Amino acid sequence: MRKTMYTQMKPLWPIIRRYRWSFINLFICVVVTSVIGMVYPYIFGMLIDEVFYQRNLQFLKYIVILYGAVFAGEQCLHICFNSAWAYLATRFSFDIRKRLYDKLLSLRPAFFTASKSGDLMTIINRDTEEILAFIHLNVFFLAANILRLLTAVAFVLYASFYLGLLMLVAVPAVVFVTVMFNRRLRTRLTEQREQYGTLMSWCFEMLAGLQDIRLLGAGKYSSRTFVHMLIQYMRVKNSSSKLEWISERTIGLISLCSDLALYVTACYLIIHQQLTLGVFIASMEYFSKGGELLQRISGASRSIQRNKVAIDRVISLLQEPEENKGSDLPGLRVTKGNIEFDNISFSYNPETPVLLNLSLALEGGTTVALVGKSGSGKTTLASLLLGLYQPESGEIRVDGTLISRCSLRSLRQAVSTNAQETFLFAGTLRENLLWGSVYQADKALWTACEQAFISEYIRTLPEGLDTLIEGDRGLRMSEGQKQRISLARSFLRPAPIIIYDEATSALDGEAEKAVRAQWNNLGGSRTAIVIAHRLSTILSADKVAVLDNGRIVAYDHHLRLLSDSEIYRRLFYEQYAENGLGMNHEETAAQYQA
Ligand SMILES: Nc1ncnc2c1ncn2[C@@H]1O[C@H](COP(=O)(O)OP(=O)(O)OP(=O)(O)O)[C@@H](O)[C@H]1O
Ligand SMILES: [Mg+2]
């Protein structure tokens, strides 16, 4: 079933309703202006018949006054409309953008896996503007022009019945052709928009990876892909432009035919004295205005097709399912920091299970190193604890409380994380450290930076914590420096459970040791899950959990695992043992067993 405009716009009603009075006032303005604007040809007709034809100079005075009054009234209404519209437009697009942004913040992580940032940018920027254009065209522009057209027909019918009838035949003919073309055009425009989105997303990705492309010598390859994508986009664009052009010409032709019919009929009526010269000239003006209005209406309905595609995208984003925040659920209270993964199964897509009946119990206050091959599901396990995804079966408990029965906000306050990829925002170092949290004095910021082993570097910067980083004008930081800033950020938000996803991978040995010492200091009652890619992480952890084939296959102290677990031994020698360490460890393991 085809959607009506009402059902299509339904998700936007709350915002539209907020401005209903402004919309109503504007609409009244449009109605009055439209009708007033159509009076000119009629007055002109009177001027010809009464003043020129009847030689009644007295009447000229009234005509001039009438012209002046109509013009002044029309201009006043125009000024009112334009200023009110400018205000409404900015407020309205602000509200929609805010809603979209809030929506993005609460969507399920799976949404972001499937969507491209180029598309999302287009929705927030361009498509939002198109909603306004849609309302402007639909409610005001289209309404105004249809009203003008009706007024024109009414004037002509009043002045000459036959000419009015002629107009009534020409109007539906043009509308019919317009509607016919629009249907086809909409499909083409959807294709064009999709192709543009793909092209933009690809450009975004390529620009971000420009350095890598050059280093990999993949310039030619990426340039070929670019040309291929451009050609595809141009093809779709050309075909819709062609259709647009054909539709415009056809409508133009029909208007021309109706003009010719007017001249023939008018000649006949004037010869038979059924029409005055003034009425003929006024009708000619109404006919040409009518043609112009029809052209505009058809132009508007073509733009409306374009807007509808944009609106569909905004609305489908607004209707995306959100993360269940569990705002009505109680907050999570962490006392000891015990974490229990009980028989967890999870997959991103049904064909490839990632975790399968996984069970793991972490004792509060300990540091557990999680190890496993790349792609074995370590980050996924951490994401489940953070409530980013829900396990398909099984339960996760913190101090005996199911995390699915706690508010998401409290869970994320209790579990702090240092993600595998560090992301810093454009802004000052201070803003990055405090991002989203309450204000803290400089002393606390410096302490956190010292703990993360980055304070010395920051002191060498002339503007210290006020140094701009990232963005166009900001300082570029190395991966290791970024990780330390991100570590300092997590030190400023003390949480009883910490997940470090390879947080120290870009740190040098010295810095890593110091950071580790700080974790241990902070440690005490904190439970830490460290997704380990380094030997030192494993050695300093209380226990090591080995993830393989979606399960925890071994969980014990490193040395005991080394002697007892074949899988761990293999993994350890493949991934972790550094030069010369293998032998020593076997010896140590033997001693440990003894
Ligand atoms: N958002 C996602 N959508 C679909 N599949 C995903 C997603 N994230 C990860 N995967 C898949 O799930 C599996 C586990 O990924 P995960 O990131 O948990 O591995 P990992 O153990 O952290 O690996 P690494 O050590 O390389 O970081 C991989 O096969 C990966 O392809
Ligand atoms: Mg990972």
Side-chain angles (χ1 to χ4, degrees), residues 342-346 355-360 393 550-552:
D342 187 4
N343 219 7
I344 297 289
S345 294
F346 177 79
L355 305 176
L356 210 69
N357 304 111
L358 175 146
S359 291
L360 174 68
S393 64
R551 288 194 181 87
I552 298 291

Side-chain angles (χ1 to χ4, degrees), residues 127-427:
D127 293 353
T128 312
E129 299 280 336
E130 299 226 4
I131 294 186
L132 273 173
F134 179 79
I135 292 178
H136 187 267
L137 283 173
N138 247 303
V139 182
F140 302 121
F141 185 87
L142 215 55
N145 285 301
I146 290 174
L147 258 172
R148 279 190 198 127
L149 189 65
L150 290 178
T151 321
V153 174
F155 270 122
V156 178
L157 265 177
Y158 171 71
S160 162
F161 180 69
Y162 292 111
L163 287 186
L165 274 187
L166 185 65
M167 225 176 162
L168 283 175
V169 174
V171 174
V174 180
V175 170
F176 174 74
V177 176
T178 314
V179 170
M180 210 179 65
F181 276 107
N182 279 341
R183 279 198 193 146
R184 293 177 61 190
L185 199 61
R186 186 168 182 193
T187 333
R188 296 277 167 86
L189 287 169
T190 314
E191 263 175 57
Q192 185 183 327
R193 190 59 68 94
E194 278 165 7
Q195 198 69 39
Y196 182 76
T198 318
L199 180 66
M200 279 301 110
S201 301
W202 186 85
C203 285
F204 267 116
E205 264 170 40
M206 288 306 118
L207 289 178
L210 211 54
Q211 183 81 329
D212 289 315
I213 293 174
R214 284 156 57 153
L215 293 178
L216 287 168
K220 251 195 188 154
Y221 170 76
S222 77
S223 163
R224 229 179 303 137
T225 318
F226 184 51
V227 169
H228 176 71
M229 292 182 92
L230 266 185
I231 291 175
Q232 271 184 326
Y233 174 65
M234 272 157 45
R235 250 189 222 138
V236 179
K237 194 169 180 326
N238 281 346
S239 106
S240 54
S241 305
K242 199 167 137 198
L243 193 62
E244 206 167 332
W245 174 84
I246 293 174
S247 125
E248 242 169 50
R249 292 305 102 198
T250 316
I251 293 164
L253 180 70
I254 290 198
S255 304
L256 180 76
C257 291
S258 80
D259 279 353
L260 285 177
L262 167 74
Y263 300 144
V264 173
T265 320
C267 283
Y268 179 84
L269 291 173
I270 289 176
I271 289 168
H272 289 85
Q273 300 198 333
Q274 288 174 12
L275 194 71
T276 65
L277 194 61
V279 173
F280 168 61
I281 290 175
S283 302
M284 236 167 65
E285 184 67 18
Y286 281 126
F287 257 69
S288 95
K289 270 196 192 298
E292 231 174 72
L293 289 168
L294 272 174
Q295 294 261 18
R296 267 196 233 163
I297 292 169
S298 90
S301 53
R302 270 202 307 281
S303 312
I304 287 171
Q305 305 306 315
R306 218 182 342 250
N307 300 149
K308 274 188 178 166
V309 179
I311 291 178
D312 278 344
R313 285 155 49 114
V314 169
I315 285 172
S316 64
L317 179 57
L318 284 175
Q319 286 178 329
E320 272 295 322
E322 293 184 6
E323 244 180 354
N324 183 6
K325 291 201 179 78
S327 314
D328 48 339
L329 296 173
L332 175 67
R333 280 198 52 219
V334 183
T335 46
K336 292 187 180 134
N338 292 333
I339 304 167
E340 194 184 343
F341 294 92
D342 187 4
N343 219 7
I344 297 289
S345 294
F346 177 79
S347 63
Y348 291 100
N349 48 57
E351 300 93 60
T352 43
V354 180
L355 305 176
L356 210 69
N357 304 111
L358 175 146
S359 291
L360 174 68
L362 285 80
E363 210 178 304
T366 57
T367 297
V368 173
L370 187 59
V371 300
K373 287 185 197 135
S374 181
S376 57
K378 304 181 291 296
T379 303
T380 308
L381 190 63
S383 306
L384 293 180
L385 181 58
L386 282 160
L388 285 170
Y389 297 93
Q390 307 306 319
E392 277 148 25
S393 64
E395 286 165 348
I396 305 174
R397 291 186 205 93
V398 170
D399 286 332
T401 311
L402 285 175
I403 62 165
S404 53
R405 297 275 160 76
C406 299
S407 71
L408 210 53
R409 191 181 152 81
S410 69
L411 176 67
R412 292 188 185 158
Q413 271 167 355
V415 187
S416 105
T417 174
N418 264 61
Q420 195 161 12
E421 286 161 27
T422 314
F423 186 80
L424 297 184
F425 305 92

